[in-house]
Each structure stands twice: as C-alpha cells, then as structure tokens.
C-alpha cells in the first residue's frame, strides 16, 4: 500500500491503470450504453448533456473536460453548454432534454425520493420507456466514470 504524500495531499493512484480489467469492463459498459441510447433514439448531444450535467454535480473536472469537447463535436452550442448548470432557468432546452436532465440529476442523487418522483413523472410525459432506461444508464455510467477520475485525481491539462 502506497502512502506517499505530496505536500499535505496523499498521492493518488490512477485506479484505471492499477486495475485495467475493471476499467475495460466499465468502458465496455459505456459502449453498450451508448448503443442502447442510440437505439432508443437519443441523439448524441442529449447524451453528452447528461454526461456533463452529472459531471457538474459531482465536480469531476476530467469528465467535464472530455465531455465538453465531445458535446461540441456532436454539435452542441457554446451558449447551451455555458448555461447547462442552470438549465431550469432557461428556455434553451427541449422538453425531452429537460426530462433527461432531471432524470440524470435524480439518478445522481439517489437519496432524494421527491426529486426521483418528480423527475420520473416528467420523463414519463415525454420519453419512451427505452429512452428513460437509456438516460438512467447514461447517468449511472458517467457517475461511475466520475468516481474513477475523482478518486484518481486525473489531471486536466491545457490544450
């Protein structure tokens, strides 16, 4: 067990590198979830909005960096990316996107039963069962990646 310290912070291991078999399984899960989302009719921008919103809630700099670029490549606008943290206070998101974002937030806060009920009710109004399932799987998967990156302290370097 490593207990090397840098200043007052304990040096972290990159758990994705330390346990590559487990990390590859998570990557394979992510690929399967992306396929499920596509089959359910969710476009890539919506998937990336979910990835970003969950990463904002969790404070994962590494995943925010990766998924901001992925969202831009998928055609997401700088304006919508800039206001995503306050999506409820804008008219910039469609009813489907709003339902998906609420469901992603509820998935990220599993202890908030009222948030879950409200989000699920909203999702039932505009999303299919396959889409609801896909959104929850996207949120579950990015939550896992957030924890890998946060606990590993994956750096974000200038590009």
């Amino acid at each position: 067990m490593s207990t090397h310290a840098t200043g007052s912070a304990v040096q972290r291991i990159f758990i994705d590198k330390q346990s590559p078999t487990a990390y590859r399984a998570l990557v394979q899960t992510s690929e399967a979830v992306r396929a499920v989302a596509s089959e359910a009719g969710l476009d890539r921008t919506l998937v990336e909005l979910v990835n970003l919103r969950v990463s904002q809630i969790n404070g994962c700099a590494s995943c925010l960096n990766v998924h901001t670029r992925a969202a831009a490549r998928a055609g997401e606008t700088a304006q919508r990316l800039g206001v995503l943290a306050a999506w409820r206070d804008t008219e910039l998101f469609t009813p489907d996107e709003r339902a998906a974002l609420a469901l992603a937030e509820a998935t990220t806060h599993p202890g908030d039963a009222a948030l879950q009920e409200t989000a699920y009710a909203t999702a039932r109004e505009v999303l299919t069962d396959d889409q609801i399932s896909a959104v929850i799987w996207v949120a579950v998967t990015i939550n896992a990646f957030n924890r890998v990156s946060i606990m590993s302290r994956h750096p974000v370097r200038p590009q």
Side-chain angles (χ1 to χ4, degrees), residues 98-150:
R98 297 172 77 77
L101 291 167
L103 202 52
E105 289 179 358
T107 304
T108 303
H109 297 292
D112 189 335
L115 180 64
Q116 284 184 27
E117 289 303 314
T118 301
Y120 220 98
T122 300
R124 290 302 247 162
E125 292 174 10
V126 295
L127 300 175
T128 68
D129 290 356
D130 286 344
Q131 290 171 330
I132 290 170
S133 180
V135 167
I136 293 170
W137 274 110
V138 170
V140 165
T141 305
I142 193 63
N143 268 290
F145 278 108
N146 287 171
R147 277 129 182 96
V148 168
S149 290
I150 290 166

Side-chain angles (χ1 to χ4, degrees), residues 24-68:
R24 277 193 302 275
L26 184 57
V27 169
Q28 289 172 341
T29 299
S30 176
E31 291 166 355
V33 168
R34 193 170 327 150
V36 164
S38 179
E39 291 165 9
L42 299 179
D43 67 29
R44 186 58 190 240
T45 56
L46 186 143
V47 169
E48 292 305 336
L49 289 173
V50 168
N51 286 333
L52 284 166
R53 185 63 193 122
V54 170
S55 297
Q56 287 173 338
I57 292 166
N58 290 326
C60 183
S62 179
C63 292
L64 284 166
N65 185 51
V66 167
H67 291 285
T68 297

Side-chain angles (χ1 to χ4, degrees), residues 8-31:
S8 62
V10 175
Q11 182 179 344
R12 306 279 180 107
I13 58 169
F14 285 4
I15 65 169
D16 49 330
K17 306 288 188 235
Q18 188 68 31
S19 305
T21 302
Y23 186 72
R24 277 193 302 275
L26 184 57
V27 169
Q28 289 172 341
T29 299
S30 176
E31 291 166 355

